[in-house]
Structure formats: structure tokens, C-alpha cells
Amino acid sequence: MGWSYPNSQRDRMSGRNWQRSKNDLDIEAELEAGRRYGLNQRRKFMWGLILPAFLTLIFFEILPVASAFWTSIHRARLFDKSRIFVGLDNYLHLLKDPHFFGTVLPNTFLFTFIGLTLETALGVVIALLLNRKFKGETLVRVLLLFPLMVAPSISGILFSWLFNTQFGIVDVFLEAIGFYRVPWLAGRWTAMSVIVISDVWLWTPWFAILLLAALQVQPLEPVEAARIDGANASQVFFNITLPYLSPVLTICMLIRTFDLFRQFDQTWVITTGGPARSTEFFSIYAYKEFFEYTRYDLGNAASLLGAVVMMIFGIIMYRTFARITMSEREKA
Amino acid sequence: MAERGQLPLRGWKKGLWGFAIFLVCFFFAFPVFWLILTSLRPETEVFYVHAGTSFTLKNFVGAFNSHQFVRSMVNSAILATLATTCSLLVTVQSGYMLGRFRGTFRNTWFGFIYIVRTIPYITWGMPLYFITQWMRIYDTYLGLLFPHMAVHIAFFSLVMKGFFENISLASEEAARIDGCSNWGVFWKIAIPQVLPGIGAISLICWLWTWNELLFAMLLTSGRTTLLTLTIVQFVQEIGIQWNLMSAAAVIALIPAIIITIFGQKYVMRGLRV
């Protein structure tokens, strides 16, 4: 077995894959390379490249996850060193807990779903709006980029001030136009919507910027051909632009799902899970179980459940995504 | 004329489009504008920000004088700089491995990073509370540095992979034929070609470490307290003094403001997926 670089420039230009593009010259070069850097040396080089990253991940991510699993099958408290084996009791406790099952999990899934939908839809709309030349283009783009640089916790502060019940500008405005004041952070659904709005504010620009970048290099011939054939704007969008965007869009949505699902910072700042623990997501729940109620085992079990859900989702999505990109490539 | 495949807008459609752009700008600019305005108002007038006319810079003095503020700011800056340097050194290598090789070993590493990316922070953050204590690096720079590095490896390896895939192989092959070692090719030929990308990522990396809250909550207690945590504790302890609060938040936003204004084109490059 010789060695080869993947995706070499030549392969990409010829549009063929490596196996088929081999000719005598390539084989000779490969043999030469194989002689100089034998398989062993290549392996060594690859290990050398990833070793620091690998060790960091093992000691500071995999080891903690293993430790979390180990504590989650024991009875463990924050200030008590003893560990008593209890099997899956902690998980059963969680699944029987009406608070976890009836509030925390629905909150997490609902938040992920609504946040993702809003951010994707708004991101697509904004990217389409901005996809033309106009005065002040750069200014708008700077404005869009800015939320991405803002700390999630600061965004939490921003929105808890805007939606402050007594002095927040939103309520002042509502009163001024003849509405009544809404005690935003005092109810479950209003508080949830404030959290959603703050997340939409923070992350929609990410979608918009990446989609805009893709739109700006979109090949225009199909669009123009469709127009000449009499297609209207929505037909062009749904039949040409959206399929063209779908690879970028899918990967953006995938990454956002991971991050929405584990969202912590904004919720912690805006509601700390309140009122009456009704806006807790699973990471807030786990954190509180650990540090406020000192139930380290339950906290770990909850956070592991979340991790497992995301891992399974991630693997399923990876396969779907591989299929999408593959079919796109076949079309091209 | 039609630009970028769009038909020109006329009449009310153009008006509607302009209004939509205005709404977008308003939605994304207003919260920060409001925060800055609040931070400039004297304490007594903070409750009718929209109506008063007097302005002051006293809040910023007050924020700087508050407990541990300056110290946590310095801590955050040091940690962000340390984490950026170390993370990039490690991540560039892993990205090169992903972008340049093919085969089972590479795919396994890719899968590993992808799985690690899906694990929520809280899952491995909480056990780290004990593990860093066991390693005797709890509440030190080191104890915060490594978890942040782990986050960055998972985030940026894949972006780096994209950078390396987009540069030409020719010069690397030429150097190899001239007898350059694997590491020599990596450091002297490959790295210089992706420096702009690395620059972009380093800005984002720095800012994300500066912005991070959860690890600061889990892994510090007093000695290496970080800025986001100090400000959040502000909210929960003196939540009524919105003038001080917003001044502190504005100070925390300064790096973000600088980077957006001056590094705008640069940062865009590092944001892709």
C-alpha cells in the first residue's frame, strides 16, 4: 500500500477520483514517496500531528465523561466522598421525576426546535435581502457581524434589561402604544420567549453571513435560464437557490442544534431557570442539581442523558448529511 | 440592471425592501445601542433612559472600582491569550492531518472529533470540577486552559481542515522531492500558506474564550475569577443598579467592538463551516 494525498489539486481539476486518475507517472511518484517515507514513518507523522490534541481531549473531555458515567451509577453527593453503587437508579429517578420529564426535557427540545426554526428562516431571509449591491452594504454587514462577537452572557444581560418588567424599554413602548405592561420574566412562556429572542439575536447573523457568502458565489446561469423560461421569484428560490444552499444550510443547522441543545449562558443570566424552575433546560437542571442541591449523581445522569441524545442525533445527521453532499456532488 | 442574479427593484417593492433592511439593522443594533445609552445615564435616571437628557461617565469609574473587576478583566485577557496560542498550535496540526491524509486512521480521528463536538459542555464540565482538584490545577490558569483547548480543538480542527484542503499541493510535493522532512514541509511550506486563516481563527478563538461563562462558573473560585462571571454575579447580587451593570457589560464588549470594526473582513474568513 502506497500513500497518497487526498483531494490533490489535479484530482479536483480533472473531476475524477484518485483511483482512476492514476497513470504510470503517478505510480512512479508514489513508489518513490513510499520508499522515502515508509508506511511506518507516515503513521508516526500522523500520530505526531494529532498527539497533543488527542491527549488534551482524552484527559479533559473523555476522562470527565467516563467519570460522569461512573458517578451516575453510584450514589454521590457534593460534600460526601463515599460512593455507593446503585446501578441505574439515578436514571430511573430522572425518568420518573415529573419535573425532569414534564418540564426540563420538553423545554430543551422545544427551545432547540423553535430557536433552530427561527434562526434558519430569518437567516435565509436576511441573506436573500442582502444579496444585492446597495449603499451602506458594509455597514449592514458590520452590524450583522457584531452579535456574533458578543458573549452569550452579555446578550442575556442585554435582553433582561430590555424586557425588565418595571423599567424595560419594551414595556414602556407597549404602554405608550396603549397596550398593557407584560411581566415578561414572571411567566414560563413569556420568559422562554425572551430567552429565544436573545438566542435569535445572537445567532441569526451566523446563518445570514454564511448563507450570504454562499449566495455570492452562486452560479447564475441556471437562475437566468429559469427566468427566461418564465419562472417567477418563488419558483426560482425553491427550485434553484434553496437546493444550491442546502449543503451549507444543513451543516449550519446541524452545528446550531448541538449548541442550542446545550445552551446555558443566556438562560442562566435571564431567568436562572425560574420562575419556579419552569424554564430550566437540561444543562441548567444538571448544574443546579450539582451545585445547589449537591446531588452530584443526578446532575451527572441528567447531563449524560443529554449527551447521549445529542450523540445519537449527531450520528444520524452525519449519515444523512453524507448522503446529501454525495448526491449534490453527483449532480454537479 | 440585474446584479447577482437579482431583478432590479422598482417603486413600492424597493420601498418594502428598504424597510426590511431597516428592520434588520434596528433589531440587531438596538439592544447594544440601548445598553450603551443606559451606561451613560446617571444612577437616578436609569429608570427612564428614553426620557432624560443628562449624561455621565461616572458609571464606568464605578464599574472599575467594583470588587474584583479589574482583576478578573486581567485574568480573562491572560487566559484568552494563553488559550488562543496553545489551542492554535495543537489545532493546526490536527487540521493538517484531517486535510492532507486519507484512510481509516484519518477517518477515525475525524469521527472522534465529531463525536466530541456533540457532547454538551456541562457533561464534562461538572466532573472537571473534581478532576482538576485531583490534578491540583483547580482555580488556576492551567485548570481553565486545558478545558478551553479541548473546546477549541473540537471547534476549529474542521475549519482548519478546510483551509489546508484549499491550498495547492504542488509546493509541498516539490519540497518533499528536494528532501524536506514531513515536519519541515508542514512548518515551512503548509503553515505559511494558511496564515490568513489562522489569523482569523485566532481572533474568534480569543473572543470566545473571553466570552465563555460555564467553565468560569465551574472551575474557578475567587483566585482566577473571570470577567463574564464577575459581571453575571453583579447581575444577581446588585441587579437593581442597572447603570453600573450596563457600564460593566459595555467594558466587556470593548474587544468585540474593536474586532468587529477593524477585523471585519478578517473574521469572516474564520467563521465558515
Side-chain angles (χ1 to χ4, degrees), chain A residues 5-6 8 12 36-37 42 49 53 60-61 64 129 131-132 146 149 151 158 161 167 201 227 251 255 258-259 262 268 287 291 296 303 311 314 318, chain B residues 5-7 17 27-28 31 38 47 90 93 100-102 110 114 116-118 121 123-124 127 130 165 169 176-177 180 207 211 217-218 242 260 273:
Chain A
Y5 287 119
S8 78
R12 255 180 280 150
R36 275 190 208 196
Y37 312 102
R42 178 183 162 223
L49 283 173
F60 291 90
E61 190 150 350
L129 281 175
N131 188 26
R132 39 176 89 237
F146 187 66
M149 305 288 132
L158 282 178
W161 175 226
F167 314 111
W201 182 82
R227 285 229 179 88
I251 203 168
I255 292 179
F258 299 151
D259 293 348
R262 65 165 170 70
W268 186 257
Y287 182 89
F291 277 107
Y296 184 46
S303 77
M311 266 191 239
Y318 185 76
Chain B
Q6 303 277 337
L7 296 176
W17 175 82
F27 177 66
F28 288 108
T38 313
F47 300 125
V90 171
Q93 294 189 9
R100 271 291 178 264
F101 291 95
R102 200 179 244 188
F110 183 89
Y114 180 78
V116 156
R117 178 73 177 76
T118 64
Y121 294 171
T123 311
W124 46 289
F130 289 114
E165 276 170 353
L169 259 177
R176 230 177 267 273
I177 287 165
C180 200
L207 213 52
N211 286 347
M217 281 169 69
L218 288 168
W242 277 99
T260 339
V273 283

Coordinates of all heavy atoms in Angstrom, one line a residue, chain A residues 5-6 8 12 36-37 42 49 53 60-61 64 129 131-132 146 149 151 158 161 167 201 227 251 255 258-259 262 268 287 291 296 303 311 314 318, chain B residues 5-7 17 27-28 31 38 47 90 93 100-102 110 114 116-118 121 123-124 127 130 165 169 176-177 180 207 211 217-218 242 260 273:
Chain A
Y5 N -1.9 11.7 -1.2 CA -2.7 12.8 -0.6 C -4.1 12.7 -1.1 O -4.4 12.4 -2.3 CB -2.1 14.1 -1.1 CG -0.8 14.5 -0.5 CD1 0.3 14.6 -1.3 CD2 -0.7 14.7 0.9 CE1 1.5 15.0 -0.7 CE2 0.5 15.0 1.4 CZ 1.6 15.2 0.6 OH 2.8 15.5 1.2
P6 N -5.1 13.1 -0.3 CA -6.5 13.1 -0.8 C -6.7 14.4 -1.5 O -5.9 15.4 -1.3 CB -7.3 13.1 0.5 CG -6.4 13.7 1.5 CD -5.0 13.4 1.1
S8 N -6.0 15.9 -4.2 CA -5.0 16.7 -4.7 C -5.6 17.6 -5.8 O -6.6 17.3 -6.4 CB -3.8 15.9 -5.3 OG -4.2 15.4 -6.5
R12 N -9.0 17.2 -8.3 CA -10.2 18.1 -8.3 C -10.4 18.7 -9.6 O -11.5 18.9 -10.1 CB -10.0 19.1 -7.2 CG -10.9 18.8 -6.0 CD -10.7 19.9 -5.0 NE -9.5 19.7 -4.2 CZ -8.8 20.6 -3.7 NH1 -9.1 21.9 -3.8 NH2 -7.7 20.4 -3.0
R36 N 10.7 6.6 0.4 CA 11.3 7.6 1.3 C 10.6 7.7 2.7 O 11.2 7.7 3.7 CB 11.2 9.0 0.7 CG 12.3 9.3 -0.2 CD 12.3 10.7 -0.6 NE 12.9 10.9 -1.9 CZ 13.3 12.0 -2.4 NH1 13.2 13.1 -1.6 NH2 13.9 12.1 -3.5
Y37 N 9.3 7.7 2.6 CA 8.6 7.8 3.9 C 7.7 6.5 4.0 O 6.6 6.5 3.5 CB 7.7 9.0 3.9 CG 8.4 10.2 3.5 CD1 8.2 10.8 2.3 CD2 9.3 10.9 4.4 CE1 8.9 11.9 1.9 CE2 9.9 12.0 4.0 CZ 9.7 12.5 2.8 OH 10.4 13.6 2.4
R42 N 5.0 7.3 8.0 CA 3.7 8.1 7.7 C 2.8 8.0 8.9 O 2.3 9.0 9.4 CB 3.1 7.6 6.5 CG 1.8 8.2 6.2 CD 1.1 7.6 5.0 NE -0.3 7.9 4.9 CZ -1.2 7.1 4.7 NH1 -0.9 5.8 4.4 NH2 -2.5 7.5 4.6
L49 N 1.2 14.5 14.6 CA 0.3 15.6 14.4 C -0.8 15.7 15.4 O -1.2 16.8 15.8 CB -0.2 15.6 12.9 CG 0.7 16.0 11.8 CD1 0.1 15.7 10.5 CD2 1.1 17.4 11.9
A53 N -3.4 17.1 20.6 CA -4.8 17.3 20.6 C -5.5 16.1 21.2 O -6.4 16.2 22.0 CB -5.4 17.5 19.2
F60 N -9.1 15.8 29.2 CA -10.0 16.8 29.7 C -11.4 16.7 29.1 O -12.2 17.6 29.3 CB -9.4 18.2 29.4 CG -8.3 18.4 30.3 CD1 -7.0 18.1 29.9 CD2 -8.4 19.0 31.6 CE1 -5.9 18.3 30.8 CE2 -7.4 19.2 32.4 CZ -6.1 18.8 32.0
E61 N -11.7 15.7 28.3 CA -13.0 15.5 27.8 C -13.5 14.1 28.0 O -14.6 13.9 28.5 CB -13.2 16.0 26.4 CG -14.6 16.1 25.9 CD -14.9 17.1 24.9 OE1 -14.0 17.9 24.6 OE2 -16.0 17.1 24.4
P64 N -13.4 13.0 31.9 CA -14.5 13.5 32.6 C -15.8 12.8 32.3 O -16.6 12.6 33.2 CB -14.6 15.0 32.2 CG -13.2 15.3 31.8 CD -12.6 14.1 31.2
L129 N -32.2 39.1 1.3 CA -32.4 40.6 1.3 C -31.1 41.3 1.0 O -31.0 42.2 0.2 CB -32.9 41.1 2.6 CG -34.4 40.9 2.9 CD1 -34.6 41.4 4.3 CD2 -35.2 41.7 2.0
N131 N -28.5 40.1 -0.6 CA -27.7 39.6 -1.7 C -27.9 40.6 -3.0 O -28.3 40.1 -4.0 CB -28.2 38.2 -2.1 CG -27.3 37.6 -3.1 OD1 -26.2 38.0 -3.3 ND2 -27.9 36.7 -3.9
R132 N -27.6 41.9 -2.8 CA -27.6 42.8 -3.9 C -26.7 43.9 -3.6 O -26.3 44.0 -2.4 CB -29.0 43.3 -4.4 CG -29.9 43.5 -3.2 CD -31.2 44.1 -3.7 NE -32.2 43.1 -4.0 CZ -32.8 43.0 -5.2 NH1 -32.4 43.8 -6.2 NH2 -33.7 42.1 -5.4
F146 N -21.7 41.9 14.4 CA -21.4 42.2 15.8 C -22.0 41.3 16.8 O -21.3 40.8 17.7 CB -21.9 43.7 16.1 CG -21.5 44.2 17.4 CD1 -20.2 44.3 17.8 CD2 -22.5 44.4 18.4 CE1 -19.8 44.7 19.0 CE2 -22.1 44.8 19.6 CZ -20.8 45.0 20.0
M149 N -20.0 38.4 18.0 CA -18.8 38.6 18.8 C -19.2 38.9 20.3 O -18.4 39.0 21.2 CB -18.0 39.8 18.3 CG -17.7 39.7 16.9 SD -16.4 38.5 16.6 CE -17.0 37.6 15.3
A151 N -20.7 38.1 23.9 CA -20.7 37.0 24.8 C -22.2 36.6 25.1 O -23.0 37.5 25.3 CB -20.1 37.3 26.1
L158 N -28.3 42.0 28.1 CA -29.0 43.0 27.2 C -30.5 42.8 27.2 O -31.3 43.7 27.4 CB -28.5 42.7 25.8 CG -27.2 43.3 25.3 CD1 -27.0 42.8 23.9 CD2 -27.2 44.8 25.4
W161 N -32.5 43.4 30.4 CA -32.7 44.8 30.7 C -33.8 45.3 29.7 O -34.7 46.1 30.2 CB -31.4 45.6 30.5 CG -31.4 47.1 30.6 CD1 -30.9 47.9 29.7 CD2 -32.1 47.9 31.5 NE1 -31.1 49.2 30.1 CE2 -31.9 49.2 31.2 CE3 -32.8 47.6 32.7 CZ2 -32.4 50.3 31.9 CZ3 -33.4 48.7 33.4 CH2 -33.1 50.0 33.1
F167 N -38.8 48.7 34.3 CA -38.2 49.8 33.6 C -37.8 49.5 32.1 O -37.2 50.3 31.5 CB -37.0 50.3 34.3 CG -37.2 50.5 35.8 CD1 -36.7 49.7 36.7 CD2 -38.1 51.5 36.2 CE1 -36.9 49.8 38.1 CE2 -38.4 51.6 37.6 CZ -37.8 50.8 38.5
W201 N -31.3 36.7 18.4 CA -30.4 37.9 18.2 C -29.0 37.5 18.0 O -28.3 38.0 17.2 CB -30.6 38.9 19.4 CG -29.9 40.1 19.2 CD1 -30.3 41.2 18.5 CD2 -28.6 40.5 19.8 NE1 -29.3 42.2 18.6 CE2 -28.3 41.8 19.4 CE3 -27.7 39.8 20.6 CZ2 -27.1 42.4 19.7 CZ3 -26.5 40.4 21.0 CH2 -26.2 41.7 20.5
R227 N -35.4 32.1 -15.5 CA -36.2 33.3 -15.7 C -36.7 33.5 -17.1 O -37.8 33.9 -17.4 CB -35.3 34.5 -15.3 CG -35.2 34.7 -13.9 CD -35.4 36.1 -13.4 NE -35.3 36.1 -12.0 CZ -34.1 36.3 -11.4 NH1 -33.0 36.6 -12.1 NH2 -34.0 36.3 -10.1
I251 N -25.4 21.9 7.2 CA -24.3 21.8 8.2 C -24.4 22.9 9.3 O -24.2 22.7 10.4 CB -22.9 21.8 7.5 CG1 -21.9 21.2 8.4 CG2 -22.5 23.2 7.1 CD1 -20.6 20.9 7.7
I255 N -24.8 22.1 13.3 CA -23.9 22.7 14.4 C -24.8 23.5 15.4 O -24.6 23.4 16.6 CB -22.8 23.5 13.7 CG1 -21.9 22.6 13.0 CG2 -22.1 24.4 14.8 CD1 -20.8 23.3 12.3
F258 N -26.5 21.3 18.0 CA -25.7 20.9 19.1 C -25.6 22.0 20.2 O -25.7 21.8 21.4 CB -24.3 20.6 18.7 CG -24.1 19.5 17.7 CD1 -23.1 19.5 16.8 CD2 -25.0 18.4 17.7 CE1 -22.9 18.4 15.9 CE2 -24.9 17.4 16.8 CZ -23.8 17.4 15.9
D259 N -25.5 23.3 19.6 CA -25.2 24.4 20.5 C -26.5 24.9 21.2 O -26.5 25.3 22.4 CB -24.5 25.5 19.8 CG -23.1 25.1 19.4 OD1 -22.7 24.1 19.9 OD2 -22.5 25.8 18.6
R262 N -27.4 22.5 24.2 CA -26.7 22.6 25.4 C -26.7 24.0 26.0 O -25.9 24.3 26.9 CB -25.2 22.1 25.2 CG -24.4 23.0 24.2 CD -23.0 22.7 24.3 NE -22.2 23.4 23.3 CZ -22.0 24.7 23.2 NH1 -22.6 25.5 24.1 NH2 -21.3 25.2 22.2
W268 N -29.1 31.2 32.1 CA -28.6 31.4 33.5 C -28.7 32.8 33.8 O -29.2 33.2 34.9 CB -27.2 30.9 33.6 CG -26.7 31.0 35.0 CD1 -25.9 31.9 35.5 CD2 -27.0 30.1 36.1 NE1 -25.7 31.6 36.9 CE2 -26.4 30.5 37.2 CE3 -27.9 28.9 36.2 CZ2 -26.5 29.9 38.4 CZ3 -28.0 28.3 37.4 CH2 -27.3 28.8 38.5
Y287 N -26.7 21.5 36.4 CA -25.9 22.4 37.1 C -26.5 22.6 38.5 O -25.8 22.6 39.5 CB -25.7 23.7 36.4 CG -24.8 24.7 37.1 CD1 -23.4 24.7 36.9 CD2 -25.3 25.6 38.0 CE1 -22.6 25.6 37.6 CE2 -24.5 26.5 38.7 CZ -23.2 26.5 38.5 OH -22.4 27.4 39.2
F291 N -24.7 21.9 42.1 CA -24.2 22.9 43.0 C -25.2 23.5 44.0 O -24.8 23.9 45.1 CB -23.6 24.1 42.2 CG -22.2 23.9 41.7 CD1 -22.0 23.6 40.4 CD2 -21.2 23.9 42.6 CE1 -20.7 23.3 40.0 CE2 -19.9 23.6 42.2 CZ -19.6 23.4 40.9
Y296 N -24.7 15.3 43.1 CA -23.8 15.2 42.0 C -24.2 14.0 41.1 O -24.0 14.2 39.9 CB -22.4 14.9 42.6 CG -21.3 14.8 41.7 CD1 -21.1 15.8 40.7 CD2 -20.3 13.9 41.8 CE1 -20.1 15.7 39.8 CE2 -19.3 13.8 40.9 CZ -19.1 14.7 39.9 OH -18.1 14.7 39.0
S303 N -27.0 15.2 32.7 CA -26.1 15.7 31.7 C -25.7 14.6 30.7 O -25.6 14.8 29.5 CB -24.9 16.4 32.2 OG -24.0 15.5 32.7
M311 N -25.5 12.8 20.9 CA -24.6 11.9 20.1 C -25.4 11.1 19.1 O -25.0 11.0 17.9 CB -23.9 11.0 21.1 CG -22.5 11.5 21.5 SD -21.7 10.2 22.3 CE -21.4 10.9 23.9
G314 N -26.4 13.3 16.4 CA -25.3 13.7 15.6 C -24.9 12.6 14.6 O -24.6 12.9 13.4
Y318 N -25.2 12.9 10.6 CA -23.9 12.7 9.9 C -24.2 11.9 8.6 O -23.7 12.2 7.5 CB -22.8 12.2 10.7 CG -21.5 12.1 10.0 CD1 -20.8 13.3 9.8 CD2 -21.0 11.0 9.5 CE1 -19.6 13.3 9.2 CE2 -19.8 10.9 8.8 CZ -19.1 12.1 8.6 OH -17.9 12.1 7.9
Chain B
G5 N -27.8 38.1 -10.0 CA -28.9 37.3 -10.2 C -30.3 37.8 -9.7 O -31.3 37.1 -9.8
Q6 N -30.2 39.0 -9.2 CA -31.5 39.6 -8.6 C -32.1 40.5 -9.7 O -31.4 41.3 -10.3 CB -31.2 40.3 -7.3 CG -30.6 39.5 -6.3 CD -31.6 38.7 -5.5 OE1 -32.7 39.0 -5.5 NE2 -31.1 37.6 -4.9
L7 N -33.4 40.6 -9.8 CA -34.0 41.5 -10.6 C -34.0 42.9 -9.9 O -34.1 43.0 -8.7 CB -35.5 41.1 -10.9 CG -35.6 39.8 -11.7 CD1 -37.0 39.4 -11.9 CD2 -34.9 39.9 -13.1
W17 N -38.4 46.7 0.4 CA -37.0 46.1 0.6 C -36.2 47.0 1.6 O -35.6 46.5 2.5 CB -36.3 46.0 -0.7 CG -34.9 45.5 -0.6 CD1 -34.5 44.2 -0.4 CD2 -33.7 46.3 -0.6 NE1 -33.1 44.2 -0.3 CE2 -32.6 45.5 -0.5 CE3 -33.5 47.7 -0.8 CZ2 -31.3 45.9 -0.4 CZ3 -32.2 48.2 -0.7 CH2 -31.1 47.3 -0.6
F27 N -33.2 45.7 14.6 CA -33.2 44.6 15.5 C -31.9 44.2 16.0 O -31.7 43.9 17.2 CB -33.9 43.4 14.8 CG -33.9 42.1 15.7 CD1 -34.7 42.1 16.8 CD2 -33.2 41.0 15.3 CE1 -34.8 40.9 17.6 CE2 -33.2 39.9 16.1 CZ -34.0 39.8 17.3
F28 N -30.8 44.2 15.2 CA -29.5 43.8 15.6 C -28.7 44.9 16.3 O -27.8 44.6 17.1 CB -28.7 43.2 14.5 CG -29.3 41.8 14.1 CD1 -30.0 41.7 12.9 CD2 -29.2 40.8 14.9 CE1 -30.5 40.4 12.6 CE2 -29.7 39.5 14.6 CZ -30.4 39.4 13.4
P31 N -30.4 46.6 20.7 CA -30.1 46.2 22.1 C -28.7 46.7 22.6 O -28.6 47.2 23.7 CB -30.0 44.7 22.0 CG -30.9 44.3 20.9 CD -30.8 45.5 19.9
T38 N -27.8 53.3 28.3 CA -28.0 53.1 29.7 C -26.7 53.4 30.5 O -26.8 54.0 31.6 CB -28.5 51.7 30.0 OG1 -29.6 51.4 29.1 CG2 -29.0 51.6 31.4
F47 N -33.9 54.7 35.1 CA -35.2 54.1 35.0 C -36.1 54.7 34.0 O -37.2 54.3 33.7 CB -35.9 54.0 36.4 CG -35.0 53.2 37.3 CD1 -34.6 53.7 38.6 CD2 -34.6 51.9 37.0 CE1 -33.9 53.0 39.4 CE2 -33.8 51.2 37.9 CZ -33.4 51.8 39.1
V90 N -2.0 23.4 18.7 CA -2.5 22.0 18.6 C -3.5 21.8 17.5 O -3.4 20.7 16.8 CB -3.1 21.7 20.0 CG1 -3.9 20.4 20.0 CG2 -2.1 21.7 21.1
Q93 N -2.2 21.4 13.8 CA -1.7 20.1 13.4 C -2.8 19.1 13.2 O -2.7 18.4 12.2 CB -0.8 19.6 14.6 CG 0.4 20.4 14.8 CD 1.3 19.7 15.9 OE1 1.1 18.6 16.3 NE2 2.3 20.4 16.3
R100 N -5.0 16.6 4.9 CA -4.0 16.1 4.0 C -3.9 14.6 3.8 O -3.3 14.1 2.9 CB -2.6 16.6 4.4 CG -2.2 17.9 3.9 CD -1.9 17.8 2.4 NE -1.6 19.1 1.9 CZ -2.5 19.9 1.3 NH1 -3.8 19.6 1.2 NH2 -2.1 21.1 0.8
F101 N -4.5 13.9 4.7 CA -4.3 12.4 4.6 C -5.7 11.8 4.3 O -6.7 12.4 4.4 CB -3.8 11.8 5.9 CG -2.3 12.2 6.1 CD1 -2.0 13.3 6.9 CD2 -1.3 11.5 5.5 CE1 -0.7 13.7 7.1 CE2 0.0 11.8 5.7 CZ 0.3 12.9 6.5
R102 N -5.6 10.5 4.1 CA -6.8 9.8 3.7 C -6.7 8.4 4.3 O -5.6 7.9 4.6 CB -7.0 9.7 2.2 CG -8.3 9.4 1.7 CD -8.3 9.3 0.3 NE -9.2 10.4 -0.3 CZ -9.4 10.5 -1.6 NH1 -8.9 9.6 -2.4 NH2 -10.2 11.4 -2.1
F110 N -11.4 11.9 12.5 CA -12.5 12.8 12.2 C -13.7 12.4 13.0 O -14.4 13.3 13.6 CB -12.7 12.7 10.7 CG -13.8 13.6 10.2 CD1 -13.5 14.9 9.8 CD2 -15.2 13.2 10.2 CE1 -14.5 15.8 9.4 CE2 -16.1 14.1 9.8 CZ -15.8 15.4 9.4
Y114 N -15.7 14.7 15.7 CA -17.2 15.0 15.5 C -18.0 14.5 16.7 O -18.9 15.3 17.2 CB -17.6 14.2 14.3 CG -19.1 14.4 13.9 CD1 -19.5 15.6 13.3 CD2 -20.0 13.5 14.2 CE1 -20.8 15.8 13.0 CE2 -21.3 13.7 13.9 CZ -21.7 14.8 13.3 OH -23.0 15.0 13.0
V116 N -16.9 14.2 19.8 CA -16.6 15.0 20.9 C -17.3 16.4 20.8 O -17.7 17.0 21.8 CB -15.0 15.2 20.9 CG1 -14.6 16.5 21.6 CG2 -14.3 14.1 21.6
R117 N -17.5 16.8 19.6 CA -18.2 18.1 19.3 C -19.6 18.1 19.8 O -20.2 19.1 20.1 CB -18.1 18.4 17.8 CG -18.7 19.6 17.3 CD -18.0 20.9 17.7 NE -18.6 22.1 17.2 CZ -19.7 22.6 17.7 NH1 -20.3 22.0 18.7 NH2 -20.2 23.7 17.2
T118 N -20.2 16.9 19.7 CA -21.6 16.8 20.1 C -21.9 16.7 21.6 O -23.0 17.0 22.1 CB -22.3 15.5 19.5 OG1 -21.7 14.4 20.1 CG2 -22.2 15.5 18.0
Y121 N -21.1 20.8 27.0 CA -20.1 21.2 27.9 C -20.4 20.8 29.3 O -19.5 20.4 30.1 CB -19.9 22.8 28.0 CG -19.5 23.4 26.7 CD1 -19.5 24.8 26.6 CD2 -19.0 22.6 25.7 CE1 -19.0 25.4 25.4 CE2 -18.6 23.2 24.5 CZ -18.6 24.6 24.4 OH -18.2 25.2 23.2
T123 N -21.7 18.2 30.5 CA -21.4 16.8 30.8 C -20.0 16.6 31.2 O -19.7 15.8 32.2 CB -21.7 16.0 29.5 OG1 -22.9 16.3 29.0 CG2 -21.7 14.5 29.8
W124 N -19.0 17.3 30.6 CA -17.7 17.1 31.0 C -17.2 18.2 31.9 O -16.1 18.1 32.5 CB -16.7 16.8 29.8 CG -16.9 17.7 28.7 CD1 -17.9 17.8 27.8 CD2 -15.9 18.7 28.2 NE1 -17.7 18.7 26.8 CE2 -16.5 19.3 27.1 CE3 -14.7 19.2 28.7 CZ2 -15.8 20.3 26.4 CZ3 -14.1 20.2 28.0 CH2 -14.6 20.8 26.9
P127 N -17.7 17.0 36.0 CA -16.7 16.2 36.6 C -15.3 16.9 36.6 O -14.5 16.6 37.5 CB -16.6 15.0 35.6 CG -17.9 15.0 34.9 CD -18.4 16.4 34.8
F130 N -14.0 18.1 39.9 CA -13.3 17.2 40.8 C -11.9 16.9 40.2 O -10.9 16.8 40.9 CB -14.1 16.0 41.1 CG -15.2 16.2 42.0 CD1 -16.5 16.1 41.6 CD2 -15.0 16.6 43.3 CE1 -17.6 16.3 42.4 CE2 -16.1 16.9 44.2 CZ -17.4 16.7 43.7
E165 N -7.2 22.1 2.8 CA -7.7 21.4 1.6 C -7.7 22.4 0.4 O -7.6 22.1 -0.7 CB -9.1 20.9 1.8 CG -9.1 19.5 2.4 CD -10.5 19.0 2.8 OE1 -11.4 19.8 2.7 OE2 -10.6 17.9 3.2
L169 N -1.1 21.7 -3.6 CA -0.2 20.6 -3.1 C 1.2 20.8 -3.7 O 2.2 20.2 -3.2 CB -0.7 19.3 -3.5 CG -1.4 18.5 -2.4 CD1 -1.9 17.2 -3.0 CD2 -0.4 18.2 -1.3
R176 N 9.1 18.1 -0.8 CA 9.4 16.8 -0.4 C 10.4 16.1 -1.3 O 11.3 15.4 -0.8 CB 8.1 16.0 -0.4 CG 7.8 15.2 0.8 CD 6.4 14.5 0.6 NE 5.4 15.4 1.1 CZ 5.0 15.3 2.4 NH1 5.6 14.5 3.3 NH2 4.0 16.1 2.9
I177 N 10.3 16.4 -2.6 CA 11.2 15.8 -3.5 C 12.6 16.3 -3.3 O 13.6 15.6 -3.4 CB 10.8 16.1 -5.0 CG1 9.6 15.2 -5.3 CG2 11.9 15.8 -6.0 CD1 8.8 15.6 -6.5
C180 N 12.9 17.6 1.9 CA 12.4 18.2 3.2 C 11.6 17.1 4.0 O 11.0 16.3 3.4 CB 11.5 19.3 2.8 SG 11.3 20.5 4.1
L207 N -11.8 35.7 21.4 CA -13.0 36.3 21.8 C -13.9 35.3 22.5 O -14.6 35.6 23.5 CB -13.7 36.9 20.6 CG -14.6 38.1 20.8 CD1 -13.8 39.2 21.5 CD2 -15.0 38.7 19.5
N211 N -15.4 35.3 26.2 CA -16.9 35.3 26.4 C -17.4 34.2 27.2 O -18.6 34.2 27.6 CB -17.6 35.2 25.0 CG -17.5 36.5 24.2 OD1 -17.1 37.6 24.8 ND2 -17.8 36.5 23.0
M217 N -17.7 29.4 35.7 CA -18.6 29.1 36.9 C -18.1 27.9 37.6 O -18.2 27.7 38.8 CB -20.0 29.0 36.5 CG -20.7 30.3 36.2 SD -22.3 30.1 35.5 CE -23.2 29.3 36.7
L218 N -17.8 26.9 36.7 CA -17.5 25.5 37.3 C -16.1 25.5 37.9 O -15.9 24.8 38.9 CB -17.6 24.5 36.2 CG -19.0 24.1 35.8 CD1 -19.0 23.3 34.5 CD2 -19.8 23.4 36.9
W242 N -28.7 49.2 37.4 CA -28.6 48.9 36.0 C -27.5 49.8 35.4 O -26.9 49.5 34.4 CB -29.9 49.0 35.3 CG -30.6 47.7 35.4 CD1 -31.6 47.5 36.3 CD2 -30.4 46.5 34.7 NE1 -32.0 46.2 36.1 CE2 -31.3 45.6 35.2 CE3 -29.5 46.2 33.7 CZ2 -31.3 44.3 34.7 CZ3 -29.5 44.9 33.2 CH2 -30.4 43.9 33.7
T260 N -14.9 43.7 15.6 CA -15.8 43.8 14.5 C -15.5 44.9 13.6 O -15.6 44.8 12.4 CB -17.3 44.0 15.1 OG1 -17.3 43.7 16.4 CG2 -18.3 43.3 14.2
V273 N -17.9 27.1 7.8 CA -18.0 25.7 8.4 C -17.4 24.7 7.5 O -17.2 24.9 6.3 CB -19.5 25.4 8.7 CG1 -20.0 26.1 9.9 CG2 -20.3 25.7 7.5

